[in-house]
Amino acid sequence: MKHRIVVLGAGYAGAYSAGYLARQLHSDDFEIIVANAELDFVERLRLHQLAAGHELPHRPLAEVFAGTDIQLRLARVTSIDAERRTVTIADGADTDRLEYDTLLYALGSTTADNGIPGVAEHAFHVAARPSALRLRSRLDELGEGGRVLVVGGNLTAIEAATEIAEARPGLRVSLATSGELGGWLGPKARRHVLGAFDRFGITVHEHTKIERVEETGAVAADGTVFAADATVWAAGFAVHPIAAASGLAVEANGQITVDRQMRSISHPDVYAAGDSVFVIGDNGRPLPMSCASAGYTGTQAAAAIVGDLTGRKIKATALSYVGNHISLGRKDGIFQLVDGDAHSKPGALRGRSAARVKSAIVAISAWAVSRPTFGKPNHKYRLATTREVSPKLVTA
Ligand SMILES: Cc1cc2nc3c(=O)[nH]c(=O)nc-3n(C[C@H](O)[C@H](O)[C@H](O)COP(=O)(O)OP(=O)(O)OC[C@H]3O[C@@H](n4cnc5c(N)ncnc54)[C@H](O)[C@@H]3O)c2cc1C
């Protein structure tokens, strides 16, 4: 019997980690199965572009994993039984149960409705491809002067509002945020963001807490009604409830609690990476949900799995948070670095050069995930048996 590793989710963390595992582990001893709801590797970093009307390249996971020993199951994960080591997946009306010896949980996150009534029923969001496409269809229906309200003042709200306003100049875009728009940014970056909003004609309502979303707009805590033909909810991300329901130890927000090697603290045969994981970064603060964090935690989780199963020494991956790159449409952006306390530095790269840096980072991230055979090692590692303290190194 081979040791079965099941990877849940093939986004930035899951797809990258699965490729890493396939490169390092010998297929005589290990079976790697990846379960993912989407047919493609979805570049989540670009979903606001998709919603605004741009096309994204299709990257079918079957092609991404071609040439590896990874088995792909295109299905929705519905539950995990961490005691029995099983995962239930659903493909349409059909359900199946996958048994695992080792699990890597990387299901990412979705939009956080923050308990606000009407968000689930009436708002649009860009946290997943189906929802981004739904918003795009709605925008297509709106004629000249159609009103779009974006709720949120952070990265995704800024990117969504500017992208929509640039791609669809006939629409009237506004943004409502409970705090300040980009309030965490350094002064130069914030001024630049406000300047971009001004240029795009986006109306900004700061210190405005939306309390209810309706079919025809949103209502603020002070009773102000914002009429909108499409309300885009971009007020943060929340993890899927599957981990909390599985019996794994989770934080209050549902993120899986792990050790420095990304092992679940309650179930050491379960590892987690990406948005789903709660881990303290090298700066002593929780790592933010981000593509970079998905890369670090995915690499660390895969290295720990290889080490734990083969007896190799586990290399520590840096868990850094250096800053944010934010697009302001296709030709503008900012790259805001943070200091060791995660506070924005006073300066920031701005304008077209920042937009180019962002495009390059997005492209490199997609490239790294979709080339699992790149950097294939000369050796693959065998499963360490209980009697075998050091792993058997064999030629692949
Ligand atoms: C519009 C937008 C812009 C962003 N921009 C940036 C940015 O500029 N920089 C940055 O660092 N971060 C950005 N982010 C955040 C970044 O995308 C996430 O932090 C990152 O994708 C997390 O990686 P992940 O692998 O944990 O999750 P994901 O990349 O979301 O991957 C999760 C995978 O699991 C699959 N999945 C989910 N649920 C199930 C299920 N029940 N069954 C089966 N499969 C499932 C999904 O289909 C997906 O393939 C942005 C996010 C959005 C939405």
Side-chain angles (χ1 to χ4, degrees):
M1 284 286 281
K2 292 186 187 183
H3 185 102
R4 181 183 278 182
I5 303 172
V6 173
V7 179
L8 304 183
Y12 291 97
Y16 180 77
S17 309
Y20 183 121
L21 294 171
R23 283 197 299 276
Q24 301 243 332
L25 298 176
H26 203 293
S27 60
D28 283 355
D29 289 355
F30 297 96
E31 187 181 17
I32 302 168
I33 300 175
V34 176
N36 194 66
E38 291 265 352
L39 187 80
D40 286 340
F41 163 65
V42 174
E43 281 183 88
R44 212 171 152 212
L45 263 55
R46 297 175 66 185
L47 287 179
H48 54 298
Q49 288 175 244
L50 183 70
H54 297 281
E55 293 305 329
L56 302 188
H58 280 287
R59 301 177 195 275
L61 286 165
E63 288 177 20
V64 168
F65 294 141
T68 72
D69 294 314
I70 296 168
Q71 299 166 44
L72 179 63
R73 294 294 303 264
L74 294 174
R76 177 155 288 281
V77 175
T78 55
S79 66
I80 300 165
D81 186 332
E83 303 309 324
R84 292 195 172 82
R85 296 185 178 179
T86 58
V87 175
T88 305
I89 56 174
D91 179 8
D94 299 331
T95 60
D96 197 2
R97 189 160 296 179
L98 296 174
E99 292 177 5
Y100 64 82
D101 300 299
T102 297
L103 185 73
L104 173 52
Y105 185 108
L107 290 180
S109 62
T110 184
T111 198
D113 68 10
N114 304 326
I116 302 294
V119 173
E121 299 88 329
H122 304 303
F124 296 84
H125 69 85
V126 293
R129 183 162 68 172
S131 54
L133 288 172
R134 216 177 118 246
L135 172 57
R136 177 189 177 126
S137 301
R138 178 63 180 148
L139 298 179
D140 287 344
E141 288 168 4
L142 303 183
E144 190 75 15
R147 296 154 305 178
V148 178
L149 173 70
V150 176
V151 182
N154 213 317
L155 302 165
T156 312
I158 293 172
E159 293 199 324
T162 49
E163 200 77 42
I164 293 169
E166 182 184 75
R168 299 174 185 256
L171 297 179
R172 281 184 285 157
V173 181
S174 60
L175 177 144
T177 175
S178 56
E180 288 185 335
L181 178 64
W184 81 99
L185 293 166
K188 288 186 179 161
R190 181 156 193 272
R191 265 201 307 279
H192 192 84
V193 168
L194 292 175
F197 270 64
D198 206 32
R199 193 174 71 243
F200 287 126
I202 304 169
T203 311
V204 178
H205 306 280
E206 293 186 320
H207 309 292
T208 301
K209 189 168 174 0
I210 297 300
E211 237 180 31
R212 195 167 74 247
V213 178
E214 299 175 343
E215 203 181 340
T216 52
V219 183
D222 66 2
T224 309
V225 176
F226 296 95
D229 302 302
T231 300
V232 183
W233 195 259
F237 294 131
V239 294
H240 302 287
I242 295 172
S246 69
L248 293 170
V250 296
E251 300 294 310
N253 68 0
Q255 282 182 309
I256 299 174
T257 313
V258 293
D259 64 16
R260 180 62 174 72
Q261 317 280 17
M262 308 302 142
R263 292 182 205 98
S264 155
I265 59 157
S266 58
H267 295 74
D269 50 349
V270 177
Y271 301 71
D275 286 357
S276 318
V277 77
F278 176 87
V279 66
I280 300 298
D282 295 341
N283 62 2
R285 294 159 193 276
L287 264 194
M289 290 184 186
S290 78
C291 182
S293 301
Y296 299 136
T297 55
T299 305
Q300 184 64 82
I305 292 171
V306 172
D308 287 346
L309 298 182
T310 69
R312 280 168 55 83
K313 190 169 181 304
I314 302 170
K315 223 169 114 181
T317 304
L319 300 177
S320 324
Y321 171 45
V322 294
N324 300 110
H325 40 84
I326 308 168
S327 65
L328 301 165
R330 291 302 79 220
K331 300 184 199 78
D332 194 4
I334 51 175
F335 186 33
Q336 173 72 70
L337 290 169
V338 298
D339 62 20
D341 291 324
H343 295 133
S344 295
K345 293 188 175 177
L349 186 65
R350 289 156 285 156
R352 201 175 272 267
S353 42
R356 283 203 201 98
V357 170
K358 164 115 199 189
S359 295
I361 289 172
V362 168
I364 290 166
S365 305
W367 187 92
V369 169
S370 46
R371 300 288 186 287
T373 52
F374 185 75
K376 208 168 181 170
N378 292 328
H379 296 98
K380 289 201 180 188
Y381 297 99
R382 308 292 306 246
L383 181 65
T385 63
T386 40
R387 269 189 272 154
E388 222 178 357
V389 178
S390 55
K392 225 191 294 173
L393 199 62
V394 295
T395 305

